[in-house]
Amino acid sequence: MRNPYEVLGVAPTASSADIQKAYRKLAKKSHPDLNPGDKAAEEKFKEIAGAYDLLGDADKRKRFDNGEIDASGAERPPQHFYRDFATSDHGHPYTDNSGFADFADSDDGFAELLRRAERARANRRGRDLHYQLPIEFAESITGANKRLTLPDGGTLDVTIPPGLVDGQILRLRGRGAPGAGEGGPGDALIEVEVLPDHRFTREGDDISLELPVSLSEAVLGGRVRVPTPTGDVTMAVPKGSNTGTTLRLKGKGAPRYGGGHGDQFVKLKVVLPKPPDPELEAFVSKWDKGKAFNPREDRTS
């Protein structure tokens, strides 16, 4: 396996934040959900996820840097020290655990520390595993049930709560790496990426949308269909609306913590027909004769 630092394109001295940033950038390009049927992208994603699983965990990264585990996370052959060459025939204290017998049988604090350390090693909790899950903007507002494809080919079913924000991390308890002995498994940590939607922008619990309207709708008013994350609704456009006129759809924003919803603000944009309508040009030309209306009057000195 390749060196995980090379896979993520970072130096061995990189900070944990730089490692996470590099992982997110690479994972976005090769995530299986964004490249359906692309086996090369799937293999690349597995390699990236494996590298981040090692370097994104402070303990595993330290062990890798110290040469205790390899790039796959497997244990390396132990280094040999003096105790490995000592012989029990001479009763050397380093040949087995008998050298600690005096500590193990005593009641002092050091003996208790040794006993606790031994129990902890035998019943070590499994590692937390980190994943990234892209979702649609509407799903971040309404909530959704998603299935995450794992690097090893397995899957995780993830419930997206309504109102979730980009970068939020969901914890699936017990869905991480298995533990040792009586130690339970770790957790799966799912970092959610909200994909941009060209129609909507979000500020806190409120949502904004720019809506094109025709000249007749702006002048005469009317009822128009407006997209929202939960589906289209009908909205009344007042007579004499201008580009920039902003209307509010109450309660059509994101869910608020503690109850209720934000609002959706609809900014109107008057759009003329293309190609130009000769009848409209003739009407405006006739209407404009003798008119003193100057829309830039308040902007002149």
Side-chain angles (χ1 to χ4, degrees), residues 83-123:
R83 64 171 295 176
D84 299 310
F85 300 99
T87 60
S88 58
D89 294 339
H90 296 87
H92 199 286
Y94 289 125
T95 57
D96 53 35
N97 291 333
S98 63
F100 297 102
D102 291 339
F103 292 117
D105 294 335
S106 66
D107 294 327
D108 63 17
F110 183 57
E112 179 60 24
L113 287 176
L114 288 177
R115 288 192 289 269
R116 290 181 180 179
E118 184 64 27
R119 287 195 297 268
R121 284 193 296 271
N123 300 285

Side-chain angles (χ1 to χ4, degrees), residues 194-278:
V194 179
L195 300 175
D197 189 313
H198 71 278
R199 300 170 301 171
F200 303 105
T201 57
R202 178 174 175 177
E203 295 182 8
D205 299 325
D206 294 329
I207 298 171
S208 296
L209 166 78
E210 185 178 71
L211 183 71
V213 293
S214 68
L215 181 61
S216 60
E217 289 170 336
V219 174
L220 304 176
R223 300 186 67 81
V224 296
R225 300 291 290 175
V226 182
T228 77
T230 56
D232 290 356
V233 299
T234 301
M235 181 187 72
V237 175
K239 290 183 179 181
S241 294
N242 273 315
T243 291
T245 297
T246 301
L247 308 174
R248 182 175 71 162
L249 295 175
K250 190 173 182 180
K252 288 299 182 180
R256 286 187 175 134
Y257 179 76
H261 289 71
D263 301 326
Q264 177 171 319
F265 292 92
V266 181
K267 186 176 182 180
L268 303 182
K269 179 181 180 181
V270 180
V271 179
L272 297 178
K274 289 184 179 180
D277 186 333

Side-chain angles (χ1 to χ4, degrees), residues 152-170:
D152 62 2
T155 59
L156 280 178
D157 291 327
V158 183
T159 298
I160 305 298
L164 178 145
V165 297
D166 182 59
Q168 189 168 337
I169 295 177
L170 303 177

Side-chain angles (χ1 to χ4, degrees), residues 17-235:
D18 289 337
I19 289 174
Q20 183 184 60
K21 183 178 179 180
Y23 165 72
R24 291 189 63 179
K25 181 178 179 181
L26 294 172
K28 288 179 183 179
K29 296 180 179 179
S30 57
H31 196 286
D33 292 345
L34 300 180
N35 299 273
D38 189 336
K39 293 296 182 181
E42 182 177 345
E43 292 302 318
K44 181 67 174 177
F45 177 74
K46 290 181 180 180
E47 184 181 41
I48 293 168
Y52 183 67
D53 179 55
L54 193 151
L55 299 183
D57 184 295
D59 292 335
K60 290 185 66 176
R61 182 184 180 185
K62 182 178 180 180
R63 296 191 66 203
F64 174 77
D65 291 342
N66 290 339
E68 298 175 20
I69 57 176
D70 61 19
S72 69
E75 298 284 343
R76 291 184 182 276
Q79 300 181 35
H80 294 289
F81 298 98
Y82 174 73
R83 64 171 295 176
D84 299 310
F85 300 99
T87 60
S88 58
D89 294 339
H90 296 87
H92 199 286
Y94 289 125
T95 57
D96 53 35
N97 291 333
S98 63
F100 297 102
D102 291 339
F103 292 117
D105 294 335
S106 66
D107 294 327
D108 63 17
F110 183 57
E112 179 60 24
L113 287 176
L114 288 177
R115 288 192 289 269
R116 290 181 180 179
E118 184 64 27
R119 287 195 297 268
R121 284 193 296 271
N123 300 285
R124 186 171 55 219
R125 178 181 177 273
R127 303 187 315 276
D128 291 340
L129 301 181
H130 300 258
Y131 304 105
Q132 189 174 38
L133 175 63
I135 65 172
E136 299 296 332
F137 180 87
E139 294 174 328
S140 74
I141 303 300
T142 63
N145 293 316
K146 303 287 287 183
R147 176 159 289 178
L148 173 65
T149 303
L150 305 182
D152 62 2
T155 59
L156 280 178
D157 291 327
V158 183
T159 298
I160 305 298
L164 178 145
V165 297
D166 182 59
Q168 189 168 337
I169 295 177
L170 303 177
R171 181 184 295 270
L172 300 185
R173 297 195 179 278
R175 303 306 302 271
E182 297 180 0
D187 300 333
L189 303 179
I190 316 296
E191 182 179 357
V192 179
E193 177 194 7
V194 179
L195 300 175
D197 189 313
H198 71 278
R199 300 170 301 171
F200 303 105
T201 57
R202 178 174 175 177
E203 295 182 8
D205 299 325
D206 294 329
I207 298 171
S208 296
L209 166 78
E210 185 178 71
L211 183 71
V213 293
S214 68
L215 181 61
S216 60
E217 289 170 336
V219 174
L220 304 176
R223 300 186 67 81
V224 296
R225 300 291 290 175
V226 182
T228 77
T230 56
D232 290 356
V233 299
T234 301
M235 181 187 72

Side-chain angles (χ1 to χ4, degrees), residues 270-299:
V270 180
V271 179
L272 297 178
K274 289 184 179 180
D277 186 333
E279 292 184 11
L280 178 60
E281 290 181 345
F283 169 78
V284 172
S285 178
K286 181 179 178 181
W287 171 84
D288 195 48
K289 288 182 179 180
K291 300 291 183 181
F293 174 65
N294 181 2
R296 296 169 298 281
E297 186 175 2
D298 59 346
R299 298 176 183 268

